[in-house]
Amino acid sequence: MSRSNSTTFRSDEQESYLRLKRDLSWREGFGILFVRCTPVQEKRIIEEIKQDIKDKTVDVLKLDHSIYNLYDLIEEKVNDNPIDILFVSGLEKSLALEDYIKRTLENPKKSYQRDALASLLGHLNWQRERFRDDFNCCLVFTVRKYTLRYLVRRAPDFFDWRSGVIEFPVDRDIDLLNYYTPFKADIDKKKPQDVSKDIVHSSDEYYDLLKKLLLLEYENNGDLQAIHDVVDSNADQFNSSFANILEQWLLKTCTELNPEEKEAIAGIVESLCLDIYKFPGKSANNLEIAITGLKTVLQLRPRETLSQEWAQTLYYIGAVYSNRIVGEKAQNIEEAIACYQQALIVYTFEAFPEKWARTQNNLGLAYLDRIKGEKAENIEDAIACLKKALTVRTFEAVPEKWARTQNNLGLAYRNRIKGEKAENIEKAIACYQQALTVRTFDVFPEDWAMTQYNLGVAYCKRIKGEKAQNIEDAIACYQQALRVYTFEAFPQNWATIKTNMGVAYAKRIKGKKARNIKLAIACIKETMKVYTFDKFPEYCVRLNRLKFRLKFTYIISRIVSKLKKLLGWEKTG
C-alpha cells in the first residue's frame, strides 16, 4: 500500500503531486514531462515518487555544470540498468546562466553573448527524434520558472514533444510575514525609527557582495538561511549605496537583453529582494533595499506583455511598504494599498482566485492599519476584503490560510467602530476560536500563541457574559501564549503579553485584590527587562507610571483589608 503524502506536501501542493503521480503511474515507455518546482520541492517530489510507485524503477540524473550533449549523459545512465522514470535535475545549470551573471557583473555594459545557451538548446532541438527512438523511459525535467521560459523560446521543437507541464506552487506568500499584526500597533510606537548611517565602502566591495548574493540566490533557490548568513555577516554594507548599486546594475545589465533573458534576471533579483526583506529583525535599510530592487524589477515587467509578473511584483512591493520603517507611516500604508489595488487589476477572482484571495487578505490588513481617511470606514473596508478572501480560502480547501484570514478578521471585528460593540467583540472571539481549530499548539505553535494572545485581548474587552469570568479567560489565554512567546525566544512579544496580563490582573475580580495587584506589579516589572529606558524612553515612563499607580492601589488595598479585619468586617479564618 502507498503511504500518504499528506504530511509531506502542503495542501496547495497536493493537487500537483497527485497529478504527477497519476501520470507516471500510468505511463509506459518514452515520454517527456516538465515539473516546475523549487529545489526544496524537487527533493520531496523525487523521494515521494520512489516510495509511491514501487513497481517502477526511478533514478536521477543530476546536472551540475554547463554541458553540450544531454543525450550522451542519459544514454550512459539508462544503459547501466533499465529505468522506467528518469528525473533530470539541474538543467538550469547546464544553460550557463551562472556564467552569464558573472560576466555581466564584471562588465555590465558589455552585450550579452548567448553561445553557451545556444549549444545545448540547439542540440536538444535537432536530436529530439533520437530521444524518442532510443530511450524507453519517461524523462522528468525538474526546472525553475526561468528555465522553462528558455526552453519554450530556445528549444521549441524539443519542448513541443512534452507530455505535460506540472507546476508546483512556489511559496512566496508574503502575507505570512503579516501573521504578527496584533503586536504591530504596540511595537511601532516603541521601536526606534532611525536608519543606520552608511559606512563608506568601495564600489568593488558592493559589487562583490551583489555578485555573491545573486549567485547564491540562483544556486540555492528556497534556502533562506544561506542568504541570511551573508546579510548578517555584511550588515554594514546593506545601505543606500548598496541599493543604488543594485538598481544601476540591474538596469544596465538588462538594457540589451531579449525579453526572456531580461525576465530571468528580473526573477532572480526579485527573489533576492524578498529574501533580504525576510531577514529577521526588519532592518530599515534592508526594507529600503527591497523596495528599490522590486521597483526596479517592476520597470522591467510591463503590464502589457508580462501582466502576471507585473501584478506579482506590485503585490510584493505592497507587502514591503506595509512594514516600511523609513518615511511617514500613513503614506507608506497608502502606497501599499495602491499596490494591492493595482495587482487586483490582473489578479481577478475569475482568472486567479488564489492570488486574488491572497491580495484581498493583505489589502484588508492594510486598511486595518490605515491612518488616512475615516477610521470607521477603513475598518469596514478591511472586513469586506477579508470576507472576500474567505470565499476562496475555505476550511476545506486551504485550512491554514483560512485560519490566517479568520485571525485577521477577528482583529478587524475587535477594533470595529460601526455596529454594536458587544456584538463585534463576540464576532471577534468566534473568529479566533475558529482559527484555533487549525492553529494548534502541536502543528503551528507560533500561530497558535499569537491567536491565543488575540483571544485574550478580546476577552478583556468583552461586554457580554460575566465580567469576572471574561477576565479569567483572558488571563488563561495570555498564559497559554507565553508557552511559546518566551523571554528568550520572543522578548518583545513576551513583554507585550506580560503588559496585557498585568493590566488583566489589576482588573481581576476573583481572588484577593491585594494579591492580584501584586501579580500585576510583578508582570509590569518583568516587562521592563525588555522596555528599557535607553531603547524605549517614552514607553518606559508610561510603564513606571502604571507601576506607581498599582503600588499605590496595593498599599490602599492592604490598609482597607486590615481595617476590615479590625472592625470585624472580614473573616480571618
Side-chain angles (χ1 to χ4, degrees):
M1 181 183 289
S2 296
R3 66 192 180 93
S4 170
N5 54 60
S6 61
T7 58
T8 304
F9 293 103
R10 301 191 314 264
S11 57
D12 57 341
E13 296 172 323
Q14 284 281 350
E15 184 179 347
S16 300
Y17 176 76
L18 291 174
R19 181 185 163 199
L20 175 64
K21 179 184 167 184
R22 280 196 302 269
D23 195 307
L24 294 177
S25 298
W26 297 340
R27 186 173 299 280
E28 298 293 337
F30 178 75
I32 296 176
L33 280 175
F34 290 95
V35 177
R36 197 198 81 182
C37 57
T38 68
V40 175
Q41 290 169 327
E42 175 188 289
K43 183 179 178 182
R44 294 204 307 267
I45 289 166
I46 295 171
E47 288 174 351
E48 290 300 312
I49 289 296
K50 286 180 177 179
Q51 290 290 331
D52 288 345
I53 309 180
K54 292 184 180 294
D55 59 333
K56 294 192 176 185
T57 305
V58 182
D59 208 338
V60 181
L61 172 61
K62 193 166 183 64
L63 307 175
D64 57 9
H65 61 277
S66 177
I67 62 170
Y68 169 74
N69 189 335
L70 181 61
Y71 176 92
D72 290 348
L73 292 175
I74 295 177
E75 183 181 42
E76 182 181 340
K77 193 82 173 174
V78 299
N79 282 347
D80 289 342
N81 57 294
I83 296 173
D84 299 304
I85 301 167
L86 180 63
F87 282 91
V88 181
S89 169
L91 187 62
E92 65 279 354
K93 292 185 185 271
S94 70
L95 296 178
L97 184 57
E98 178 177 340
D99 292 335
Y100 161 71
I101 294 175
K102 286 178 179 176
R103 290 199 303 274
T104 51
L105 273 166
E106 290 163 2
N107 190 350
K109 295 182 179 179
K110 185 177 180 180
S111 62
Y112 177 66
Q113 297 181 11
R114 54 185 76 176
D115 297 343
L117 293 174
S119 58
L120 172 63
L121 298 176
H123 187 268
L124 289 176
N125 277 330
W126 66 264
Q127 287 218 348
R128 66 175 186 170
E129 285 83 4
R130 291 186 67 197
F131 282 86
R132 176 199 62 194
D133 297 339
D134 297 349
F135 300 139
N136 189 36
C137 66
C138 183
L139 303 176
V140 183
F141 292 90
T142 54
V143 296
R144 315 297 166 249
K145 179 173 68 173
Y146 46 83
T147 314
L148 203 57
R149 284 194 176 132
Y150 273 119
L151 290 168
V152 172
R153 301 289 181 90
R154 301 290 189 79
D157 296 336
F158 181 78
F159 187 76
D160 283 348
W161 278 31
R162 71 195 183 279
S163 304
V165 177
I166 297 173
E167 298 189 5
F168 277 72
V170 178
D171 190 6
R172 292 281 185 191
D173 204 355
I174 295 300
D175 63 358
L176 292 173
L177 300 168
N178 288 325
Y179 276 8
Y180 304 103
T181 51
F183 301 107
K184 285 171 68 176
D186 289 328
I187 293 172
D188 283 343
K189 295 175 185 175
K190 304 162 193 168
K191 63 189 176 186
Q193 299 290 307
D194 56 308
V195 186
S196 60
K197 294 181 180 179
D198 289 1
I199 299 172
V200 178
H201 291 276
S202 68
S203 58
D204 287 343
E205 288 179 289
Y206 286 115
Y207 272 111
D208 286 343
L209 177 58
L210 179 57
K211 182 192 301 185
K212 183 187 294 186
L213 286 166
L214 287 171
L215 292 175
L216 198 58
E217 186 67 49
Y218 169 68
E219 294 168 351
N220 297 289
N221 188 6
D223 185 359
L224 267 179
Q225 190 56 51
I227 298 291
H228 287 177
D229 286 344
V230 175
V231 175
D232 189 40
S233 59
N234 296 274
D236 62 327
Q237 286 183 252
F238 282 83
N239 50 39
S240 59
S241 297
F242 180 83
N244 291 335
I245 292 285
L246 173 61
E247 179 183 18
Q248 292 166 17
W249 174 81
L250 183 56
L251 292 176
K252 287 179 182 178
T253 296
C254 293
T255 300
E256 299 180 24
L257 301 186
N258 65 37
E260 65 268 21
E261 293 162 350
K262 189 183 294 184
E263 174 54 23
I265 298 301
I268 294 170
V269 172
E270 180 180 71
S271 296
L272 175 61
C273 290
L274 295 179
D275 289 346
I276 291 172
Y277 167 55
K278 291 178 182 179
F279 185 75
K282 288 290 182 294
S283 157
N285 282 338
N286 289 353
L287 299 188
E288 293 308 296
I289 290 167
I291 289 173
T292 300
L294 290 171
K295 281 187 171 182
T296 311
V297 167
L298 190 65
Q299 294 180 50
L300 306 175
R301 291 177 161 175
R303 178 184 162 193
E304 296 74 21
T305 56
L306 293 167
S307 60
Q308 290 186 52
E309 291 80 1
W310 175 82
Q312 174 181 281
T313 305
L314 277 166
Y315 171 83
Y316 292 148
I317 294 171
V320 184
Y321 265 116
S322 290
N323 293 278
R324 193 184 188 200
I325 298 169
V326 174
E328 185 188 351
K329 184 176 180 182
Q331 187 55 41
N332 289 337
I333 295 170
E334 294 304 303
E335 295 285 352
I337 290 171
C339 287
Y340 292 139
Q341 288 174 333
Q342 282 189 287
L344 286 170
I345 296 171
V346 174
Y347 289 159
T348 62
F349 172 78
E350 295 75 18
F352 304 100
E354 290 184 7
K355 292 178 180 178
W356 173 83
R358 180 185 68 174
T359 309
Q360 290 287 0
N361 178 78
N362 275 21
L363 181 57
L365 290 174
Y367 274 124
L368 205 53
D369 287 339
R370 195 182 190 198
I371 296 169
K372 294 187 177 183
E374 187 187 348
K375 187 174 181 180
E377 200 55 49
N378 290 338
I379 296 173
E380 294 306 302
D381 289 338
I383 291 171
C385 290
L386 294 167
K387 283 185 173 180
K388 285 179 184 178
L390 286 171
T391 62
V392 174
R393 292 182 159 187
T394 62
F395 173 78
E396 295 75 18
V398 280
E400 186 180 347
K401 293 177 181 178
W402 170 84
R404 186 183 316 154
T405 305
Q406 285 285 359
N407 178 77
N408 295 338
L409 186 58
L411 292 174
Y413 275 123
R414 196 178 77 198
N415 294 290
R416 195 182 188 196
I417 296 169
K418 293 188 176 183
E420 186 188 350
K421 186 174 181 179
E423 192 54 43
N424 290 336
I425 298 296
E426 293 305 302
K427 287 180 179 178
I429 290 171
C431 287
Y432 296 139
Q433 289 173 335
Q434 289 273 74
L436 287 170
T437 62
V438 174
R439 292 180 156 190
T440 62
F441 174 77
D442 295 323
V443 183
F444 303 107
E446 288 182 45
D447 300 333
W448 172 84
M450 188 258 296
T451 306
Q452 287 284 0
Y453 167 78
N454 285 342
L455 185 57
V457 174
Y459 274 124
C460 261
K461 292 185 174 184
R462 195 181 190 197
I463 297 169
K464 293 187 177 183
E466 185 188 350
K467 186 175 181 180
Q469 187 56 48
N470 290 338
I471 296 172
E472 294 303 304
D473 290 339
I475 291 170
C477 288
Y478 293 146
Q479 288 171 335
Q480 289 284 72
L482 288 173
R483 290 173 62 190
V484 175
Y485 287 135
T486 62
F487 171 73
E488 294 75 18
F490 302 93
Q492 205 151 8
N493 294 348
W494 171 86
T496 300
I497 297 170
K498 279 286 185 179
T499 303
N500 280 273
M501 187 181 286
V503 173
Y505 274 124
K507 294 179 179 178
R508 195 181 191 194
I509 297 168
K510 292 187 177 182
K512 292 188 175 182
K513 187 172 182 65
R515 183 176 181 276
N516 290 335
I517 297 297
K518 197 172 182 179
L519 289 170
I521 293 169
C523 287
I524 300 303
K525 283 179 73 174
E526 283 188 289
T527 66
M528 299 183 83
K529 290 192 290 186
V530 175
Y531 297 133
T532 57
F533 186 79
D534 57 327
K535 291 183 179 179
F536 305 96
E538 291 183 12
Y539 194 70
C540 194
V541 168
R542 287 167 53 196
L543 286 175
N544 274 315
R545 286 175 182 166
L546 176 59
K547 189 170 67 172
F548 175 79
R549 288 199 300 271
L550 289 171
K551 282 184 176 180
F552 181 76
T553 305
Y554 174 74
I555 292 168
I556 295 298
S557 67
R558 293 293 294 165
I559 292 170
V560 170
S561 178
K562 287 181 180 181
L563 283 173
K564 284 182 177 180
K565 286 180 183 179
L566 288 171
L567 296 171
W569 294 349
E570 182 177 280
K571 292 182 180 179
T572 57

